[in-house]
Amino acid sequence: MSSNQNYPSNTSRSANSGDKYQVYLLDGHPIEVRVERRAKGDDLLQQVFNSMNPPLEERDYFSLTFDVLDEKEPIAWLDRRKGVEKQMKKAANPAFAMNVKFYPPDPTTLMEYSRYLFYLQIRDEIAKGKLPCSLSTLAMLENKSESKQDDPVTVRSPVCSDCLLVGFPLKN
């Protein structure tokens, strides 16, 4: 899945209100989420899901990742059962990125918003060259992009070096 890509470090602590974390959603936009100082990963995750517009209902498919100081595994998944503060001790950057944890066998059974989030993840991985696909699939995703009115950005196709695609903006 995607990495946090050196997002700015925006974690702060207030004595009364707990820890505040920066979380980058699948569309690349950041949100700030505040959790109790001793919050578990699931507490942070639920805050993120509830902060989304609309709030995410099909939550099992999604989670948060963060960059870690490890050459073998530079990205770690937030563990829902462990304390967030404890997990951040190994973080290279305390910002999180929302990612698809696994894909359903039949995405047509999902709600439209969940399908759109899967689309954003797939689009990002294609644009970065992590996920190969055919030109017909790129065209289909381009059509989907136009229907959702994403900010148009031109990128080089990972499949065809002479092709430029519009509508596959990368996460910043």
Side-chain angles (χ1 to χ4, degrees):
M1 305 299 157
S2 298
S3 124
N4 296 350
Q5 305 167 357
N6 299 319
Y7 290 128
S9 172
N10 288 332
T11 301
S12 62
R13 176 171 291 149
S14 169
N16 297 331
S17 54
D19 294 337
K20 182 171 56 173
Y21 294 98
Q22 189 93 11
V23 178
Y24 290 85
L25 301 178
L26 285 164
D27 63 3
H29 290 95
I31 61 170
E32 285 187 355
V33 178
R34 188 176 303 277
V35 293
E36 296 293 325
R37 184 165 185 211
R38 303 253 185 248
K40 302 283 184 196
D42 193 59
D43 299 326
L44 175 61
L45 203 51
Q46 297 310 317
Q47 281 289 102
V48 170
F49 293 154
N50 291 332
S51 299
M52 296 172 72
N53 188 15
L56 183 61
E57 292 183 34
E58 296 169 307
R59 300 174 176 199
D60 292 338
Y61 301 104
F62 305 93
S63 192
L64 301 177
T65 58
F66 58 97
D67 293 333
V68 294
L69 299 168
D70 186 342
E71 292 178 16
K72 294 179 184 173
E73 294 291 330
I75 300 168
W77 288 97
L78 179 69
D79 188 323
R80 292 176 178 228
R81 296 167 285 148
K82 293 182 181 176
V84 176
E85 186 176 38
K86 183 177 182 179
Q87 294 180 68
M88 290 296 92
K89 289 179 182 177
K90 64 180 180 179
N93 181 349
F96 292 93
M98 184 176 173
N99 285 287
V100 172
K101 193 159 188 175
F102 66 93
Y103 293 92
D106 184 7
T108 61
T109 62
L110 299 175
M111 297 175 73
E112 182 179 354
Y113 185 54
S114 295
R115 287 193 313 264
Y116 179 64
L117 294 175
F118 284 113
Y119 155 75
L120 291 174
Q121 178 83 41
I122 292 168
R123 178 193 67 185
D124 185 60
E125 292 194 8
I126 290 171
K128 291 176 181 173
K130 292 180 177 180
L131 183 65
C133 72
S134 67
L135 287 176
S136 61
T137 301
L138 290 173
M140 181 184 69
L141 287 171
E142 174 64 19
N143 186 31
K144 174 72 172 170
S145 174
E146 289 172 4
S147 69
K148 286 291 184 184
Q149 298 180 353
D150 285 333
D151 295 331
V153 173
T154 304
V155 297
R156 189 133 329 260
S157 167
V159 175
C160 173
S161 61
D162 295 332
C163 301
L164 292 177
L165 304 171
V166 177
F168 289 112
L170 296 172
K171 293 179 189 175
N172 294 334

